[in-house]
Amino acid sequence: MLVSQPKEPHFFTLNWDRGLDWYASRFPNSDHSICIDASTTYSMAPLTGKESTWLDYHKYVGVPEKVYSMSPRAKFIYILRNPISRTYSAYWADIRGGNENKGFRTSIRENPFYLDVSDYHGQLSVWLNSFPLERFFLVLFEDLTEAPEVVARKCLKFLGVEEPAELHMAQPLNTGYQGTWMGRGINRLVNSSLRNHPRMWDALVTLQSKTPESVRARFDKIRRGSKPIPAMKHEDREFLSEYFSDKNQALERLIGISLERWQT
């Protein structure tokens, strides 16, 4: 099993124009290996048909068809998180990334990206036009956090990979913080450069690989900060609960997995 370098190459969205040779180079020595691409942008289809305020709408359209054209036997692992929590987390990730500076309710009203990506029924339905449901291993975020090794072994079995006798599980690295003003500025500059100059992607990956871990850790701390994310307002939670209610019920019927834990 071989994981892409970097693990999120975003080929079928942000880097499609760079061609198959570029994508293949993300998997060195891939002969006879199961190749893993962990790009999160592949499940960010624009469902409402409305333009995002800062994402290139067209790059997120037609991803399943692109994947099928290259790998019709592909398998997928899709993590499902309570869409209320996911939406709020995505908003604060964009605050840290320097892409967002408006209030939460204004942002989700003006930028359809937040609600579209959290609509798992809609996102999965887009993929099911190209691949059957049995090609997807659906993981509840709660199961992943409560029993990561159990979930990891199920994923390996689904992919057809022989399970090792012992698995070494890494600690979670994506604890959410508000981010510092300096970190937001740095992230905004980096994100803008990557969107407008895709070839900077390789330079950034090379730079990261050559930077000592201690230096990267200090830099990440500056970008991330330490101030925790504030609790979601009650009225915002009520709005999202009502918005996703029918969508979650449709998802539950589609996948045959109880989503009762999302109701608490």
Side-chain angles (χ1 to χ4, degrees):
M1 186 169 65
L2 184 64
V3 179
S4 170
Q5 299 297 322
K7 70 182 182 69
E8 297 186 26
H10 302 289
F11 172 63
F12 295 99
T13 48
L14 306 181
N15 290 303
W16 178 251
D17 293 339
R18 305 187 71 173
L20 182 57
D21 288 343
W22 178 87
Y23 188 46
S25 70
R26 306 303 98 185
F27 300 93
N29 304 315
S30 61
D31 291 346
H32 309 297
S33 293
I34 294 176
C35 297
I36 305 294
D37 178 339
S39 302
T40 56
T41 53
Y42 300 163
S43 57
M44 294 183 178
L47 303 177
T48 60
K50 299 178 181 178
E51 295 282 349
S52 169
T53 55
W54 55 269
L55 291 176
D56 188 341
Y57 173 95
H58 301 286
K59 290 187 177 181
Y60 297 82
V61 175
V63 173
E65 293 84 353
K66 293 176 183 176
V67 175
Y68 186 86
S69 69
M70 291 178 52
S71 183
R73 298 176 60 188
K75 292 184 176 182
F76 309 92
I77 297 172
Y78 193 15
I79 299 175
L80 308 172
R81 183 180 183 182
N82 184 324
I84 296 175
S85 302
R86 201 226 70 87
T87 302
Y88 197 57
S89 176
Y91 164 77
W92 277 102
D94 286 341
I95 290 287
R96 289 193 301 274
N99 295 315
E100 189 64 78
N101 55 18
K102 298 178 181 178
F104 178 64
R105 184 65 72 89
T106 300
S107 296
I108 63 175
R109 182 177 64 248
E110 295 183 356
N111 192 342
F113 163 82
Y114 295 114
L115 299 179
D116 281 355
V117 177
S118 298
D119 178 3
Y120 296 118
H121 179 264
Q123 294 294 333
L124 191 56
S125 295
V126 171
W127 279 90
L128 293 181
N129 290 324
S130 298
F131 294 91
L133 185 59
E134 56 265 26
R135 294 287 180 84
F136 293 81
F137 183 66
L138 304 170
V139 178
L140 292 184
F141 181 78
E142 294 82 358
D143 291 338
L144 181 61
T145 56
E146 294 169 6
E149 183 172 344
V150 172
V151 171
R153 290 188 179 279
K154 288 181 178 180
C155 289
L156 292 175
K157 183 177 180 180
F158 170 73
L159 295 175
V161 177
E162 184 177 353
E163 296 183 42
E166 184 177 359
L167 282 176
H168 300 281
M169 309 301 294
Q171 294 298 313
L173 300 176
N174 58 342
T175 302
Y177 296 103
Q178 292 191 33
T180 65
W181 67 267
M182 182 183 296
R184 294 175 189 178
I186 293 172
N187 292 332
R188 181 166 55 249
L189 178 61
V190 171
N191 291 333
S192 176
S193 297
L194 290 177
R195 285 197 301 271
N196 297 320
H197 307 284
R199 295 191 181 278
M200 287 189 64
W201 190 283
D202 293 339
L204 182 60
V205 171
T206 301
L207 179 63
Q208 287 180 328
S209 66
K210 295 183 177 181
T211 303
E213 180 65 32
S214 59
V215 176
R216 294 209 310 267
R218 291 177 62 185
F219 183 67
D220 287 343
K221 187 175 182 180
I222 293 174
R223 295 170 56 204
R224 185 176 65 246
S226 58
K227 191 175 182 180
I229 293 174
M232 186 187 303
K233 294 180 180 178
H234 175 74
E235 57 267 30
D236 292 336
R237 184 173 294 277
E238 287 293 309
F239 168 79
L240 291 177
S241 178
E242 181 177 352
Y243 180 85
F244 287 115
S245 178
D246 291 344
K247 294 174 173 56
N248 290 343
Q249 292 179 36
L251 175 65
E252 196 171 40
R253 292 191 296 268
L254 176 64
I255 64 178
I257 297 176
S258 173
L259 304 175
E260 184 178 359
R261 279 182 286 183
W262 290 359
Q263 307 304 318
T264 59

